[in-house]
Amino acid sequence: MKTTRLVATTVAAAAYFAASVVAADLDPIVIKGSKFFYKTNGTEFFMKGVAYQQGISSNGTSVLDNHYTDPLTDPAACRRDIPLLQQLQTNTIRVYAINPDQDHSQCMRMLQDAGIYLIADLGQPSLSINRDTPAWDGPLYARYTSVVDALHNYTNVLGFFAGNEVSNNASNTDASAFVKAAVRDMKAYIKRNNYRTIGVGYATNDDADIRSNLAAYFNCGPSDTSIDFWGYNIYSWCGNSSYEESGFDVRTKEFSKYTVPVFFAEYGCNTVPPREFSEVQALYGNQMTPVWSGGIVYMYFQEENNYGLVSISGNTASKLPDFTALSTQIAKVSPTGVNSASYTPTNTQPDNCPATGTAWQAASSLPPTPNAQLCGCMVKSLSCIAKPGINVTSVGDLFGTVCGLSKGVCDGITANSTTGTYGAYGMCNATEQLSWALNSYFQKQNSNPSACNFDGAATTQAAASASGDCKALVSQAGSAGTGTVTSAPTGTGSGSEGSSTSTKKGAAGAITVPSVDLGLLKLGAYVIGAVLTGAGMILL
């Protein structure tokens, strides 16, 4: 029978906060080469981290039908838990989904005072890039940038994850192109807004078939499109394993030449309970610290998956055996590294992008940056549009019909990450994309009024002549919608959460319209049945 030690949480928390002095802002963590450093004194930084969020599985999905609770908006819980995190020598927490509209100031100040940094995932369970139906669109852009906006001012924000285990086997590696586009755009957004430099990375699972290609893909190409750090969710050290038996030795060798910091974004196999955490000695030992920057234990809260360090009952936290084991192991390690001033990176050559084929399906060419202004300008310039207020079912049916009626009408909304073919408007919302397709068909029918009806779901409008910024944007997109728009988006995307073209499921994030191929064209697969219907109309 497992034993637990009851923690008088309120007493411990009160004692800690009474004794603590309000600290100055934490020294930001900066990246140089493949290592993290404290900005001011140049000491190398090793994460001693804990994942900190209830209701989120180890792959970042919600266990409660896409509902999530932001742990950094509950000051009482932060007061309860931070002293316990300190007992584990925690200097980093990972939070999988924050609510950017809520106040984080109290918890972030408590974390600052305790010397704890934050890595935050940018998505949330129903609005992030989904492996099965990948897209990078305005609502996702708005969600991700809103998290950056909410957290960038806190100097103890270490970085952001643009995705978590999105591609998890060879069949869905095409989704990685959309995640890498998110990395590119969040890095550009931080820079464009003159925010403090904050890294943007990715957290991967440990799939033997794709791990090498994944690491290479996110590291290849220009630095403004590649990740700033690489998080590895790894659970191969189970029970009383070893450096060699767990494969840690092989993983360490594989990343010995990687150009950015690597760390365990999740670790702590629980197939042999209670966990001993003997891997802590290896992770922070001399064989691994030259390559790895520490790691983040999964997970603080005890839930059905049995990964918890503590159990929560009301306002009381009870230490579990895993807490005691981790505390014992972490107290034995004191990793030492190099000082930034004396460190000259030798890992300076990025990986080559993997070739596309059966083993890897994402081309190096990335989807366009979501641009709400461009989408709005485009719709205003059209003569035939989707009728305002059209329902979701009609959108799907119409996509299938119009894209099957005439060749080329949907080229401007193409999104094929395997061929690297993207229409300029493939990042707009579903209604905007549909309006583009309807208008393309209308134009091919010489603007015959009967070609803009579709049983009342489409309507004509007076097309506005593009001027100013709109003229430049639409001109870059081109008359066929296949041009490259180089102008940066303004604002934070195309609206609030929930306005995405995506349908909502709980997967490694959200969920965009599934895809279907029509030759080189990939379209939203909420229209699969309708596409076939449209194609059937032509055959008949």
Side-chain angles (χ1 to χ4, degrees):
M1 181 177 179
K2 292 184 179 181
T3 61
T4 63
R5 176 184 173 188
L6 186 64
V7 179
T9 306
T10 55
V11 174
Y16 162 70
F17 286 105
S20 67
V21 177
V22 176
D25 286 349
L26 277 183
D27 194 21
I29 302 301
V30 298
I31 296 171
K32 182 179 180 180
S34 59
K35 298 181 182 297
F36 292 110
F37 296 96
Y38 291 96
K39 182 178 180 179
T40 301
N41 64 19
T43 301
E44 187 172 353
F45 178 82
F46 294 94
M47 291 182 199
K48 294 180 180 178
V50 175
Y52 184 75
Q53 186 154 16
Q54 289 179 286
I56 299 293
S57 300
S58 61
N59 65 356
T61 63
S62 169
V63 297
L64 296 172
D65 192 26
N66 295 331
H67 174 75
Y68 71 97
T69 300
D70 183 344
L72 302 183
T73 61
D74 187 347
C78 290
R79 291 188 188 95
R80 177 195 66 206
D81 296 332
I82 287 175
L84 297 177
L85 290 168
Q86 286 190 294
Q87 290 181 32
L88 296 171
Q89 298 186 25
T90 303
N91 65 12
T92 307
I93 61 170
R94 178 181 177 184
V95 172
Y96 293 85
I98 73 149
N99 185 335
D101 296 325
Q102 295 187 1
D103 178 32
H104 304 91
S105 59
Q106 292 188 60
C107 282
M108 290 301 292
R109 170 51 63 185
M110 295 178 205
L111 292 168
Q112 289 248 36
D113 293 347
I116 297 175
Y117 293 85
L118 168 69
I119 293 183
D121 288 50
L122 292 171
Q124 53 107 322
S126 65
L127 196 55
S128 51
I129 299 167
N130 178 266
R131 64 176 68 98
D132 298 319
T133 56
W136 177 232
D137 60 15
L140 292 173
Y141 184 90
R143 160 68 196 185
Y144 286 30
T145 54
S146 68
V147 174
V148 173
D149 290 338
L151 295 177
H152 76 92
N153 271 328
Y154 300 107
T155 62
N156 60 330
V157 173
L158 189 155
F160 300 107
F161 281 129
N164 181 70
E165 299 189 8
V166 179
S167 294
N168 65 353
N169 62 59
S171 71
N172 53 41
T173 54
D174 60 320
S176 288
F178 298 92
V179 182
K180 192 170 181 180
V183 171
R184 173 201 64 201
D185 291 344
M186 292 307 99
K187 292 176 67 167
Y189 183 80
I190 290 168
K191 184 177 182 179
R192 187 167 64 250
N193 284 279
N194 295 315
Y195 291 164
R196 171 177 64 87
T197 300
I198 307 173
V200 182
Y202 177 74
T204 181
N205 71 319
D206 183 32
D207 184 274
D209 292 333
I210 64 172
R211 59 191 172 204
S212 295
N213 280 335
L214 266 173
Y217 184 75
F218 280 92
N219 182 244
C220 73
S223 61
D224 58 356
T225 68
S226 60
I227 42 101
D228 295 314
F229 52 77
W230 187 248
Y232 210 129
N233 300 343
I234 183 167
Y235 293 86
S236 61
W237 187 305
C238 300
N240 190 24
S241 188
S242 69
Y243 182 59
E244 292 79 15
E245 183 182 353
S246 65
F248 279 21
D249 59 334
V250 179
R251 305 288 83 75
T252 299
K253 183 177 180 181
E254 288 171 348
F255 283 98
S256 62
K257 301 298 182 183
Y258 213 56
T259 62
V260 299
V262 293
F263 57 92
F264 289 179
E266 291 175 3
Y267 75 96
C269 172
N270 69 348
T271 60
V272 184
R275 293 183 287 181
E276 298 180 13
F277 289 108
S278 54
E279 67 264 47
V280 165
Q281 304 307 310
L283 179 58
Y284 297 98
N286 292 335
Q287 289 178 302
M288 295 187 70
T289 52
V291 174
W292 301 92
S293 296
I296 299 171
V297 169
Y298 185 85
M299 141 75 65
Y300 183 78
F301 298 99
Q302 175 71 334
E303 296 183 299
E304 290 185 9
N305 59 13
N306 200 35
Y307 279 94
L309 301 175
V310 305
S311 62
I312 303 297
S313 178
N315 241 357
T316 302
S318 300
K319 295 179 183 177
L320 298 176
D322 284 8
F323 183 103
T324 303
L326 178 60
S327 178
T328 299
Q329 293 286 2
I330 210 76
K332 298 177 183 178
V333 299
S334 183
T336 58
V338 298
N339 190 277
S340 177
S342 59
Y343 167 64
T344 301
T346 56
N347 301 349
T348 57
Q349 182 62 45
D351 284 282
N352 294 320
C353 293
T356 55
T358 56
W360 186 257
Q361 299 175 29
S364 57
S365 178
L366 301 178
T369 301
N371 192 323
Q373 184 182 16
L374 169 63
C375 296
C377 293
M378 175 268 288
V379 172
K380 291 177 182 177
S381 73
L382 305 179
S383 300
C384 178
I385 62 171
K387 198 167 186 177
I390 187 172
N391 64 49
V392 173
T393 301
S394 296
V395 170
D397 291 344
L398 280 172
F399 261 122
T401 300
V402 71
C403 290
L405 286 176
S406 184
K407 183 178 180 181
V409 298
C410 290
D411 287 356
I413 56 175
T414 301
N416 190 325
S417 58
T418 300
T419 63
T421 306
Y422 304 99
Y425 302 116
M427 50 71 195
C428 298
N429 69 42
T431 304
E432 291 165 338
Q433 290 188 43
L434 177 59
S435 292
W436 169 264
L438 292 170
N439 189 74
S440 295
Y441 175 73
F442 181 62
Q443 296 297 326
K444 285 181 178 290
Q445 302 305 309
N446 299 315
S447 300
N448 187 324
S450 65
C452 186
N453 187 295
F454 293 91
D455 293 328
T459 185
T460 58
Q461 69 172 10
S465 297
S467 61
D469 291 342
C470 274
K471 184 175 182 179
L473 290 168
V474 173
S475 175
Q476 289 175 27
S479 59
T482 55
T484 300
V485 178
T486 58
S487 299
T490 58
T492 57
S494 66
S496 61
E497 295 183 17
S499 60
S500 174
T501 58
S502 310
T503 56
K504 306 296 190 286
K505 312 181 209 172
I511 315 208
T512 96
V513 284
S515 61
V516 60
D517 284 307
L518 294 174
L520 292 178
L521 177 66
K522 259 192 178 178
L523 296 173
Y526 55 21
V527 300
I528 286 180
V531 166
L532 297 177
T533 301
M537 290 170 62
I538 298 173
L539 294 174
L540 291 173

